[in-house]
Amino acid sequence: MPNSPASRPHESFRPYHEAFYRFVEPTSVTPYTYQARLRALHAALVIVMRHGGIGLLNDGAAADFDPDASQVSKAVEQLKRRCALSAPDQVDEVNRHIDALVAEWRTEVERCREAKRQLEYQVFDKDKRRDRLLYNHDDRIRGLWPTLQSLRNIENTALFKAL
């Protein structure tokens, strides 16, 4: 029995775990760059609104977004404070970006109301009856914000400022 396959899992354990992260890309050292914010800050805003316990969880609740509502404005301020802790040297830029996203979402809500269209967070790609806030880059029907399914995608170019 000592040579049975069930008694030898330790033989491949070490090489497997040593190679475990071989194909995982490193995390960016600059998470609040403009390019990183374009890819992910809108998703953070949506996550805060959906999961902040303020009644905007369901797909159709994207249309209920009202930045003037006290709970929504409080959640936006909490997101800004959290971002400020992570990027204290970029507070003004990040806050302006969040404010712009809030304004875009508000405008999209108003546009959908005027057009009598239902706004949802995400919609199946073939559904042309409802508008979407988020869409995948390869979707045929667009929405307000293109959204990645993974933040592991990295461009081969970036802007930087030499000091």
Side-chain angles (χ1 to χ4, degrees):
M1 281 282 207
N3 289 328
S4 73
S7 66
R8 293 182 287 173
H10 65 280
E11 292 176 8
S12 62
F13 182 83
R14 185 178 194 97
Y16 170 78
H17 284 280
E18 286 176 347
F20 192 71
Y21 292 104
R22 183 182 313 170
F23 300 106
V24 176
E25 298 168 15
T27 303
S28 172
V29 293
T30 53
Y32 283 90
T33 62
Y34 179 69
Q35 290 84 0
R37 290 193 326 259
L38 281 178
R39 288 189 185 106
L41 194 55
H42 69 277
L45 175 63
V46 171
I47 289 167
V48 167
M49 292 302 128
R50 289 189 85 170
H51 300 286
I54 58 177
L56 297 176
L57 179 61
N58 298 329
D59 270 333
D64 299 330
F65 178 77
D66 178 6
D68 296 329
S70 65
Q71 287 184 312
V72 172
S73 63
K74 193 181 297 183
V76 169
E77 290 307 312
Q78 287 176 335
L79 175 61
K80 288 179 179 181
R81 282 194 300 275
R82 176 61 182 93
C83 291
L85 292 173
S86 299
D89 57 331
Q90 296 174 301
V91 171
D92 292 336
E93 290 175 47
V94 173
N95 285 349
R96 280 193 302 271
H97 197 156
I98 292 171
D99 289 339
L101 293 170
V102 167
E104 288 175 18
W105 192 346
R106 178 197 302 257
T107 300
E108 187 68 2
V109 167
E110 291 168 359
R111 184 194 67 75
C112 287
R113 280 194 187 130
E114 289 173 8
K116 298 191 185 329
R117 306 256 318 154
Q118 176 62 37
L119 177 65
E120 298 194 5
Y121 290 112
Q122 286 188 297
V123 178
F124 291 112
D125 194 30
K126 294 179 181 179
D127 188 342
K128 297 177 183 175
R129 297 174 292 121
R130 297 173 285 172
D131 288 348
R132 59 203 74 202
L133 192 66
L134 309 172
Y135 69 95
N136 295 324
H137 285 275
D138 59 347
D139 284 353
R140 287 175 296 202
I141 300 172
R142 302 293 182 197
L144 181 61
W145 293 317
T147 306
L148 298 171
Q149 294 298 314
S150 168
L151 294 179
R152 291 179 54 203
N153 299 341
I154 299 173
E155 286 185 5
N156 58 0
T157 60
L159 301 174
F160 70 94
K161 181 179 180 180
L163 301 175

Coordinates of all heavy atoms in Angstrom, one line a residue, residues 9 12 16 23 69 88 108 111:
P9 N 0.3 11.8 -2.6 CA 0.0 13.2 -3.1 C 1.0 14.2 -2.7 O 1.2 15.2 -3.4 CB -1.4 13.5 -2.4 CG -1.4 12.6 -1.2 CD -0.6 11.4 -1.6
S12 N 3.7 15.6 -5.6 CA 3.5 16.7 -6.5 C 3.0 17.9 -5.8 O 2.9 19.0 -6.4 CB 2.4 16.2 -7.5 OG 1.2 16.0 -6.9
Y16 N 3.7 21.8 -7.5 CA 2.5 22.5 -7.8 C 2.3 23.8 -7.2 O 2.0 24.8 -7.8 CB 1.3 21.6 -7.5 CG -0.1 22.3 -7.6 CD1 -0.6 22.5 -8.9 CD2 -0.7 22.8 -6.5 CE1 -1.8 23.1 -9.0 CE2 -1.9 23.4 -6.6 CZ -2.5 23.6 -7.9 OH -3.7 24.3 -8.0
F23 N 1.4 32.1 -13.6 CA 0.7 32.8 -14.7 C -0.2 33.9 -14.2 O -1.0 34.5 -14.9 CB -0.2 31.8 -15.5 CG 0.7 30.7 -16.1 CD1 0.7 29.5 -15.6 CD2 1.5 31.0 -17.2 CE1 1.5 28.5 -16.2 CE2 2.3 30.1 -17.8 CZ 2.3 28.8 -17.3
A69 N -30.4 61.9 -3.0 CA -30.9 61.1 -1.9 C -29.8 61.0 -0.8 O -28.6 60.8 -1.2 CB -31.4 59.7 -2.4
P88 N -3.7 59.2 -1.1 CA -3.8 60.5 -0.5 C -3.2 61.7 -1.4 O -3.6 62.8 -1.3 CB -3.0 60.4 0.8 CG -2.2 59.2 0.6 CD -2.9 58.3 -0.4
E108 N -27.8 59.4 -17.4 CA -28.3 58.2 -18.0 C -29.7 57.8 -17.5 O -30.6 57.4 -18.2 CB -27.3 57.1 -17.8 CG -27.6 55.8 -18.6 CD -27.5 55.9 -20.1 OE1 -27.1 57.0 -20.6 OE2 -27.9 54.9 -20.8
R111 N -32.1 60.3 -19.1 CA -32.2 59.9 -20.5 C -33.2 58.7 -20.7 O -34.1 58.8 -21.5 CB -30.9 59.6 -21.2 CG -31.0 59.3 -22.7 CD -29.7 58.7 -23.3 NE -29.5 57.3 -22.8 CZ -30.2 56.3 -23.1 NH1 -31.2 56.3 -24.0 NH2 -29.9 55.1 -22.6

